[in-house]
Amino acid sequence: MTIAKMSWQPQYRCSKYRHVFGKPANKESCYDCVPITRSVQDNHFCAVNPIFIAVVTECAGGGAFLVIPIQQSGKLDPHHPKVCGHRGNVLDIKWNPFNDYVIASCSEDATVKIWDIPKHLLNKNLTNPSKELLGHTRRVGLIEWHPTASNIIFSTGYDYKIMIWNIDSDDPVIYSPVRTIECHKDVILSMSFNTDGSLLATFLQRQDN
């Protein structure tokens, strides 16, 4: 009778990040006194690119957000200029992946607006968007730029529709999307593209039977 001694080897590799821990930045590298909105609910209240950080903020009489240069850390001036052209609360903001000086916003006022941030930075409130997209009948909760097609942006609202917009137009106001997806039966809570933009995943609010 032969008894073999077996040694068990795990079939997975240990992560090389298992001993990596986060370290809080010092106060000089943080952004202080930024008045973050309390109206965004489950949506995004900030967006960042290599040059700016944008934060949805409180604003009397409509929705607004701040655009802060990444290098401008520390205490924020309470009179820092705002981007404030919506008539309702801003629900989502997204930077254009092809242009670091272009940002989109959507709002409870059922609109999507495209903003050009000046390269000399804001020295007063920005109230006039470069484009306004009008098509939704209820508040617009989410926006998403296409990752590989320039000037294409998707929006979805509480009308259960996803609208595809081409903003490569001279018209300041665009009333008709290039396509509308109307297969959803409830509010879309999230949407995301795969890497090459060939697939779009959506997540719906659960329906009770």
Side-chain angles (χ1 to χ4, degrees), residues 3-173:
I3 299 175
K5 185 178 180 181
M6 304 295 293
S7 61
W8 179 80
Q9 296 291 335
Q11 298 300 311
Y12 59 87
R13 292 183 300 173
C14 293
S15 171
K16 60 183 177 181
Y17 300 107
R18 65 188 181 278
H19 299 305
V20 175
F21 300 96
K23 180 181 178 181
N26 56 42
K27 190 172 182 180
E28 290 74 21
S29 300
C30 296
Y31 303 89
D32 198 14
C33 298
V34 179
I36 299 173
T37 182
R38 295 186 294 272
S39 303
V40 173
Q41 302 173 359
D42 294 330
N43 296 3
H44 302 103
F45 65 85
C46 67
V48 66
N49 69 11
I51 301 175
F52 299 109
I53 178 171
V55 181
V56 180
T57 186
E58 298 291 337
C59 181
F65 59 93
L66 300 165
V67 174
I68 307 167
I70 288 287
Q71 304 300 328
Q72 188 181 314
S73 56
K75 186 175 181 180
L76 185 72
D77 185 342
H79 302 293
H80 187 88
K82 298 180 177 70
V83 181
C84 49
H86 285 286
R87 298 185 302 276
N89 291 322
V90 174
L91 299 181
D92 196 10
I93 49 177
K94 292 284 171 63
W95 289 103
N96 186 336
F98 295 91
N99 188 334
D100 289 336
Y101 292 90
V102 173
I103 188 170
S105 61
C106 64
S107 166
E108 289 181 346
D109 63 11
T111 68
V112 178
K113 297 181 189 291
I114 311 297
W115 307 88
D116 291 334
I117 306 301
K119 293 190 176 181
H120 60 270
L121 308 181
L122 293 175
N123 51 28
K124 62 180 180 179
N125 288 348
L126 181 60
T127 58
N128 295 317
S130 60
K131 303 284 181 189
E132 187 171 14
L133 314 181
L134 304 178
H136 288 281
T137 56
R138 299 182 66 184
R139 60 181 175 171
V140 184
L142 294 168
I143 47 178
E144 197 72 45
W145 293 94
H146 194 279
T148 59
S150 179
N151 293 319
I152 301 297
I153 187 169
F154 285 49
S155 63
T156 182
Y158 281 67
D159 52 9
Y160 310 162
K161 298 177 182 179
I162 295 177
M163 295 188 177
I164 306 171
W165 305 88
N166 182 1
I167 64 168
D168 188 14
S169 167
D170 293 332
D171 298 327
V173 180

